[in-house]
Structures are given as C-alpha cells and as structure tokens.
C-alpha cells in the first residue's frame, strides 16, 4: 500500500543542536511533498513544499528539506534548533497532480532550553 | 480573510448521539477535506470534495457523512457516535489546481463516552 513513513516518533534536542527528521514515501509517479508543523494547541501550518525544480527547498523559520527521488525521501533539516521549535512535525505527500494529502505519523520534537 | 473556520472547538458526545461539525472557508477554494488526527497515526483523510455538489470518500469514511451544497461550507456529520470516533478533527481547503497548498482550520476535539 502507498504510505508515508516518518522514522522518528519522538526527538529530544538541546537548543543549538542540528535537526534532521526523516520522511520516506512509497508512491511512484509524480509527487508533491510537504512538511507541516503543529505547535502545541494550534492547527497545522505549512513549513515548506516541493513541487519541482531544485530538490533543496527552503521554508519558513530556517527549515529546509531535500528531495532525493532515488531514495523516495524528503528529509527536514534545521542547522540550529530553538526552544520555540518544540512542536509536532508531519511529512505529507500528494501524488499524480491531486489534492489528497497522505500524512506520515508525525514526529514530536522537544527542544530543551 | 478568516481562512478556514471550524465549530465547535470542543464537544463531548454520548455513544449513539449525532452531531455535525461545521467547516467554512472564505478563500473560494474548490477543494475541501476532513481529516482526523490520532496519536502516532498522523492525519487520515475522512472525506473530501472537489466542488459544490461533489464529494468522495477518503481513507477512513465509515461512520461519517458529508455534503457540499456551497463552495464555502463542508459539514461533517456523525450519525451515531462511537468511542472510536474520539479524535481531533481538522478541516482543510485548497485550490483545485496550482500549488495545492492546503490551509487547515483550528480543529475540533471530540470525545465520545
């Protein structure tokens, strides 16, 4: 079955540490890739998206992600996390030019001050 | 613009009761969808609509009904609530073509006892 996998369910980091969250998908064909963030008690917000072109995508708040087609991956990175990055992060995919998002299970990030 | 709005924010139901979760958007988006969020499972698509009068099932449609009589509104109905429907429900909308970026509402936390 087609799916989106996020390998880390919980991540704890200290401020200024680097972050990489893994995301793999199993779809063939054309995909659009997204990372959403959900801060405590809030709704989902788009961090960044990839549709085509440069596989290194820069988003808001210093986040970036790299699309590696051969590995079916779209990992999220940030060089130096802040306490305010504490949130849950979701990778999501749409495929074949559709709107239906399929989400990964999410990764809870806690950043210790 | 208010974006995507949802009411109520919180709801407690007894098993067997019915209710409607409301969702509205003021961005003239053609595509609207409902997701449920459960711990460790990310968001799963319940139903979606590509325009007024057109709805379809997502990944987990059982126990839920939807209708789309206007572009703006996309209510989700629970006909006979069950404890398994305890969850946080998110409505989202996007343009049907183009960037496909989906905008999420603030969510409704539903508890069924």
């Amino acid at each position: 079955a087609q799916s989106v996998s996020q390998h880390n369910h919980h991540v704890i980091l200290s401020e200024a540490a680097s972050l990489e969250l893994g995301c793999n998908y199993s779809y063939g064909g054309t995909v659009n890739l997204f990372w959403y963030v959900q801060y405590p008690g809030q709704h989902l917000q788009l961090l960044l998206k990839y549709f085509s072109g440069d596989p290194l995508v820069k988003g808001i708040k210093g986040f970036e992600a790299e699309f590696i087609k051969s590995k079916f991956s779209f990992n999220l990175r940030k060089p130096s996390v802040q306490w305010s990055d504490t949130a849950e992060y979701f990778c999501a995919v749409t495929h074949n030019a559709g709107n239906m998002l399929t989400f990964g299970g999410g990764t809870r990030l806690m950043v210790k001050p | 613009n208010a974006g995507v709005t949802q009411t109520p924010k919180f709801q407690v139901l007894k098993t067997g009761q019915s209710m409607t979760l409301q969702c509205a958007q003021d961005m003239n988006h053609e595509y609207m969808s409902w997701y449920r969020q459960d711990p460790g499972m990310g968001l799963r698509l319940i139903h979606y609509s590509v325009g007024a009068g057109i709805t379809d099932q997502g990944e987990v449609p059982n126990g839920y009904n939807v209708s789309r009589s206007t572009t703006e509104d996309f209510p989700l109905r629970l006909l006979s609530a069950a404890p398994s429907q305890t969850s946080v429900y998110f409505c989202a909308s996007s343009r049907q073509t183009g960037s496909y970026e989906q905008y999420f509402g603030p969510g409704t936390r539903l508890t069924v006892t």
Side-chain angles (χ1 to χ4, degrees):
Chain A
Q2 297 167 328
S3 64
V4 179
S5 300
Q6 293 181 239
H7 316 298
N8 312 100
H9 297 294
H10 293 90
V11 173
I12 301 174
L13 295 173
S14 298
E15 276 193 316
S18 63
L19 171 71
E20 181 160 3
L21 302 183
C23 173
N24 286 90
Y25 61 93
S26 63
Y27 297 95
T30 303
V31 291
N32 298 320
L33 299 152
F34 305 81
W35 275 97
Y36 282 86
V37 61
Q38 186 178 31
Y39 298 103
Q42 296 189 27
H43 60 91
L44 276 78
Q45 303 171 42
L46 182 68
L47 267 182
L48 49 79
K49 61 188 177 188
Y50 173 81
F51 281 61
S52 63
D54 188 343
L56 185 61
V57 179
K58 294 193 184 300
I60 61 171
K61 304 188 180 188
F63 286 91
E64 65 179 29
E66 185 175 13
F67 171 50
I68 303 179
K69 189 174 182 179
S70 61
K71 295 185 177 181
F72 296 88
S73 70
F74 190 56
N75 292 355
L76 181 71
R77 299 195 291 251
K78 185 171 184 178
S80 177
V81 295
Q82 300 173 322
W83 175 78
S84 57
D85 293 324
T86 294
E88 189 160 14
Y89 293 81
F90 294 94
C91 180
V93 176
T94 65
H95 65 289
N96 294 334
N99 291 69
M100 292 174 58
L101 276 170
T102 300
F103 283 85
T107 298
R108 286 188 182 272
L109 171 66
M110 178 184 293
V111 180
K112 297 186 294 184
Chain B
N1 284 354
V4 180
T5 58
Q6 291 183 238
T7 57
K9 286 190 175 182
F10 301 94
Q11 183 70 50
V12 178
L13 292 178
K14 294 187 187 307
T15 297
Q17 287 184 316
S18 63
M19 79 159 296
T20 299
L21 308 185
Q22 300 292 344
C23 173
Q25 52 91 10
D26 61 0
M27 297 174 281
N28 202 31
H29 285 166
E30 303 94 335
Y31 183 87
M32 296 186 73
S33 54
W34 277 101
Y35 294 85
R36 58 177 290 172
Q37 182 182 21
D38 302 292
M41 304 185 75
L43 281 77
R44 292 179 292 168
L45 182 64
I46 304 171
H47 285 284
Y48 66 97
S49 168
V50 298
I54 306 170
T55 64
D56 206 345
Q57 297 180 350
E59 181 185 356
V60 289
N62 291 343
Y64 308 95
N65 280 352
V66 292
S67 60
R68 183 98 179 268
S69 56
T70 67
T71 300
E72 294 78 20
D73 300 298
F74 190 44
L76 178 72
R77 280 183 290 276
L78 285 71
L79 297 179
S80 179
S84 60
Q85 294 178 305
T86 293
S87 187
V88 181
Y89 292 85
F90 289 98
C91 179
S93 74
S94 71
R95 294 176 61 185
Q96 182 63 7
T97 58
S99 72
Y100 305 115
E101 178 180 344
Q102 294 203 32
Y103 295 83
F104 285 82
T108 295
R109 185 174 293 275
L110 175 68
T111 302
V112 183
T113 61

